[in-house]
Amino acid sequence: MITRPISIALTRAIILMLTPLASAQVPSIAPPRTVPPTGAPETGARTPEMPASGAHPLTKADVEAWLDGFTPYALQRGDVAGAVVVVVKDGQVLLAKGYGYADVAAHKPVDPERTLFRAGSVSKLFTWTAVMQLVEQGKLDLDADLNGYLDFKISPRNGKPITLRNLMTHTPGFDEAIRALIIADPKDMPTLEAGLKHWIPPRVTDAGSTPAYSNYGAGLAGYIVQRVSGISFDDYIEQKIFAPLGMSKVTRLPRASRSRLNWSRFRQQARSLLAAPLWRRS
């Protein structure tokens, strides 16, 4: 019988035909997944040692080479238009570099010195800093009923009022909602006071009992800073935090950034988000 030799020959031919096809395929965008070794090393094998501390100091060339390889891939994988990466070492900027586009339609590249990015909830750190500045000055008490600082009332739940400490630890007990969190046009943005008084979210847990992220709570803290300091919250952050730190390229005011932000694109993104199903808003 010659069935076996023919089968073997045919199998070899198929393998040879598939090999060039496989090598011509486009590799996946995802990086190769490495599986860490398990168990003890084989007999005679040496476990690699970590380089001694300070053996090779971090340099700009090292950081830039790594970022140039990773960041474009990350932007493409996440469908992100552009980004700025700043690396600080020993109190000095080691590298500041932009990737992608500040304006995709115009193919305007990101400029690390001029392109503005919305900080989002990172800006809450400035709110908490402002609160603690006023605590240091003896003007705020972290454990007092915050109604003492407001011109409207937040009702207690089960007899437990909300304190600034609750706001700062995200334990005020407010329900959280996304509705109206994003405004498509800066002209439609209400004042901090008007936004907080327009709708007070329901209390769903007792103050201090349950950690639950609260945008409204952070807004309350900013409004308390505004009332106690006697100046608008935006002005307080500009004058008391940004200016002393020399942060001349940071602003909380939309009017100061319109010429450097693509507002038409922002409006389109905002409308898309607001039109999305609730479960997609994250």
Side-chain angles (χ1 to χ4, degrees):
M1 296 289 292
I2 59 174
T3 303
R4 181 178 177 82
I6 291 176
S7 299
I8 294 175
L10 182 60
T11 301
R12 289 176 178 173
I14 292 174
I15 292 174
L16 290 174
M17 291 172 63
L18 290 178
T19 300
L21 291 176
S23 62
Q25 291 178 351
V26 178
S28 171
I29 189 172
R33 178 178 297 177
T34 58
V35 179
T38 58
E42 297 178 3
T43 304
R46 297 182 59 186
T47 302
E49 298 180 356
M50 295 295 293
S53 176
H56 178 70
L58 184 67
T59 66
K60 177 180 178 181
D62 292 332
V63 176
E64 190 166 22
W66 188 86
L67 288 173
D68 286 351
F70 173 76
T71 309
Y73 154 78
L75 294 181
Q76 180 188 16
R77 189 67 181 267
D79 193 24
V80 177
V84 163
V85 180
V86 179
V87 179
V88 177
K89 178 185 178 184
D90 299 328
Q92 301 294 324
V93 175
L94 182 67
L95 174 71
K97 189 168 183 178
Y99 295 89
Y101 296 107
D103 188 326
V104 176
H107 281 200
K108 181 180 179 181
V110 169
D111 182 345
E113 296 294 329
R114 293 193 53 79
T115 303
L116 293 179
F117 287 85
R118 301 170 191 86
S121 287
V122 174
S123 60
K124 287 184 175 66
L125 298 175
F126 300 125
T127 303
W128 310 138
T129 300
V131 168
M132 293 308 298
Q133 286 179 338
L134 295 175
V135 169
E136 288 179 338
Q137 297 170 25
K139 297 179 179 180
L140 289 177
D141 182 345
L142 291 178
D143 298 306
D145 183 344
L146 57 74
N147 281 306
Y149 303 116
L150 297 173
D151 58 351
F152 64 101
K153 184 175 178 60
I154 304 292
S155 299
R157 187 179 192 272
N158 292 332
K160 295 182 178 181
I162 300 173
T163 67
L164 278 167
R165 191 182 299 276
N166 296 145
L167 299 184
M168 297 180 72
T169 55
H170 288 281
T171 58
F174 289 123
D175 191 13
E176 180 68 6
I178 301 297
R179 186 179 301 278
L181 183 63
I182 295 178
I183 303 299
D185 194 310
K187 297 191 298 294
D188 299 329
M189 186 178 296
T191 65
L192 178 58
E193 177 182 358
L196 292 171
K197 292 180 177 179
H198 176 71
W199 181 72
I200 301 174
R203 303 282 301 284
V204 293
T205 59
D206 294 347
S209 67
T210 307
Y213 196 83
S214 177
N215 285 294
Y216 186 86
L220 276 180
Y223 185 54
I224 289 173
V225 168
Q226 176 173 296
R227 284 181 50 78
V228 173
S229 68
I231 60 177
S232 74
F233 177 69
D234 289 335
D235 287 340
Y236 185 97
I237 299 299
E238 296 267 356
Q239 297 173 19
K240 306 297 184 181
I241 298 179
F242 294 163
L245 293 175
M247 299 172 67
S248 59
K249 298 176 182 178
V250 182
T251 182
R252 283 191 52 84
L253 305 178
R255 63 177 179 271
S257 59
R258 287 181 186 175
S259 61
R260 289 155 67 183
L261 285 173
N262 186 349
W263 282 110
S264 61
R265 184 162 189 247
F266 175 55
R267 292 190 195 102
Q268 181 180 2
Q269 292 172 337
R271 290 192 184 101
S272 298
L273 177 62
L274 293 174
L278 184 61
W279 59 268
R280 291 184 59 192
R281 300 176 193 171
S282 59

